[in-house]
Amino acid sequence: MATTANTATATPGVTIRDIAQVAGVSAGTVSRALKNEPGLTEATRQMVLEAARSLGYDFCKLRPKRLRRLTFLLHRQHNTAASSPFYSPVLHGAEEACRKQGIVLSFMAVGPADGLIDQIRMHAPDGIVCAGFFEPETLAALRSTGKQLVLIDMQLRGYNSVNPDNMKGGYLATKHLIDTGRTRVGFISGPLAHYSIRERARGYRQALFEEGILADPRLEANLPDGVDLETGAWEAMEQLLSLPHPPDAVFCYNDSAALVAMRCCLAKGLKVPHDIAIVGFDDISTAVLGHRPLTTLRIDKKALGAMGVELLLNNQHLTQNPSQPGHPQHPPVQHIAPVELIVRASTVFDGWRAPQSSSTDRPPTFSRTP
């Protein structure tokens, strides 16, 4: 049997025992290294892979481990009535995709102090989908288990992820408000630790920049720390309305916040959209049930969940075929899902049009179409 080092092509007959003898490790260690399973140091893994390459081992003989069980993780901060209209369809989309592939899906709402790794061992998944914000330390602990991992509605360097086009959505929302003649567009933001919210804020500022409108930091209101969304969005809207020159339009980081902001405006005697226009994000089911149906950015949330499962399945070959030099440092895959502006009565109404021009030093006026 040939054992010549630096063989350029696969050599028939090379076995795991041959690799173990050259590398000076057990056959079990070789098997775990070739399959990229946990329990080995990176130095040992690379030593085994180098021995296999030098012997001309045929990596095509490796059978990828079929993904049979998947765990869908949601951070406890998202497991609320305000967040459920978004994440529930994402979960349903992942569930449908798993059912088509014969994969068993389990769900866990977790926090950083919940003994997460012990719970993962109990569920024994082959892969993990994390939806929404998770602390980087929590994600690092999950990755250390050796399980395949995909993020949905979050992006972090080095991780595979699926996200809506948050920046474009923020841009489209703000551009729409400007195109309707609004000149003082405010922004109600959630915690900027969340990737999706940061990107939506970037889109908001990009639209202002392209229209030559100076971004006024007073027109940006963050939800206060330590309060629920209902209270925080109301206080943020009150903060904007209390300005000497309040906004004539507000883009909110999600629909739940926008619906609260709309109720606050109505309570202050303002007419929506006559006095102030409001745009949300996500197109949740209740977006059409407000005092005015809400203009928003539509995300196909079920498709987002399905894309996460698909990415996990497609990534199996890369993570379990270490034949390429440099494995397992494959570049992360980042999928971006499209968003669509849905215009409703919270920003436009029949019989009215924006003026052709307006002065920047006075509130805009609106004229009735003859």
Side-chain angles (χ1 to χ4, degrees):
M1 180 185 61
T3 58
T4 306
N6 300 320
T7 304
T9 58
T11 303
V14 176
T15 67
I16 285 179
R17 291 186 181 279
D18 298 327
I19 300 171
Q21 185 176 2
V22 170
V25 296
S26 69
T29 297
V30 173
S31 179
R32 290 197 298 273
L34 295 178
K35 295 178 181 177
N36 194 35
E37 293 178 348
L40 302 177
T41 66
E42 189 58 30
T44 299
R45 192 186 311 277
Q46 292 300 327
M47 179 183 66
V48 170
L49 295 178
E50 181 56 37
R53 281 191 286 265
S54 69
L55 290 172
Y57 178 73
D58 184 5
F59 288 93
C60 293
K61 294 191 298 184
L62 289 172
R63 291 185 178 181
K65 181 182 178 183
R66 184 175 180 275
L67 196 149
R68 298 179 183 276
R69 294 181 300 275
L70 187 150
T71 295
F72 187 103
L73 295 182
L74 185 67
H75 200 290
R76 286 197 183 280
Q77 67 174 272
H78 299 309
N79 193 30
T80 64
S83 297
S84 291
F86 180 86
Y87 289 108
S88 289
V90 175
L91 173 59
H92 292 160
E95 185 179 31
E96 289 181 5
C98 285
R99 191 182 305 116
K100 292 177 182 178
Q101 298 292 333
I103 299 170
V104 177
L105 179 70
S106 61
F107 169 77
M108 292 169 52
V110 297
D114 288 345
L116 177 58
I117 301 305
D118 289 338
Q119 295 187 53
I120 290 294
R121 290 195 186 102
M122 291 175 60
H123 283 247
D126 302 310
I128 301 171
V129 169
C130 294
F133 173 79
F134 276 86
E135 296 81 1
E137 299 81 6
T138 300
L139 294 176
L142 288 171
R143 172 177 274 181
S144 70
T145 66
K147 310 291 185 184
Q148 295 187 67
L149 187 63
V150 166
L151 310 181
I152 297 180
D153 195 37
M154 181 177 178
Q155 188 180 99
L156 192 64
R157 180 178 296 180
Y159 291 83
N160 296 320
S161 62
V162 176
N163 284 278
D165 197 338
N166 290 295
M167 182 176 177
K168 183 177 181 180
Y171 174 89
L172 291 175
T174 309
K175 181 70 163 55
H176 166 68
L177 291 169
I178 295 170
D179 288 345
T180 61
R182 314 289 172 160
T183 60
R184 291 183 59 77
V185 181
F187 177 52
I188 292 181
S189 171
L192 293 177
H194 293 221
Y195 166 79
S196 60
I197 299 175
R198 291 199 308 272
E199 288 296 291
R200 293 170 191 186
R202 285 182 60 206
Y204 161 77
R205 296 183 188 115
Q206 181 68 28
L208 294 179
F209 174 79
E210 290 188 8
E211 293 297 320
I213 299 174
L214 183 64
D216 185 347
R218 293 171 297 181
L219 290 176
E220 297 185 33
N222 293 334
L223 267 65
D225 294 332
V227 299
D228 59 86
L229 184 144
E230 181 88 16
T231 302
W234 189 283
E235 292 181 0
M237 190 69 243
E238 284 188 322
Q239 175 185 328
L240 293 177
L241 294 179
S242 67
L243 292 172
H245 299 287
D248 55 10
V250 175
F251 165 45
C252 298
Y253 77 99
N254 69 16
D255 288 346
S256 296
L259 293 171
V260 174
M262 189 186 302
R263 292 199 300 271
C264 179
C265 290
L266 295 172
K268 302 293 183 182
L270 298 175
K271 295 181 180 180
V272 177
H274 304 70
D275 300 319
I276 187 166
I278 297 176
V279 177
F281 205 117
D282 295 337
D283 195 28
I284 61 176
S285 58
T286 55
V288 296
L289 302 179
H291 177 75
R292 291 283 186 270
L294 184 65
T295 294
T296 184
L297 275 299
R298 176 174 292 166
I299 301 169
D300 190 336
K301 294 169 277 298
K302 292 181 68 174
L304 206 63
M307 288 173 66
V309 174
E310 181 181 353
L311 178 55
L312 206 61
L313 292 171
N314 291 343
N315 196 52
Q316 273 190 298
H317 176 72
L318 291 177
T319 59
Q320 295 183 355
N321 182 1
S323 58
Q324 299 179 359
H327 176 85
Q329 285 79 26
H330 297 291
V333 179
Q334 298 175 356
H335 288 331
I336 302 297
V339 297
E340 178 187 3
L341 178 67
I342 305 298
V343 178
R344 298 191 180 112
S346 69
T347 56
V348 295
F349 47 98
D350 294 337
W352 290 80
R353 61 179 174 83
Q356 296 300 313
S357 61
S358 59
S359 173
T360 57
D361 59 356
R362 59 179 173 82
T365 59
F366 293 86
S367 55
R368 185 181 297 277
T369 301

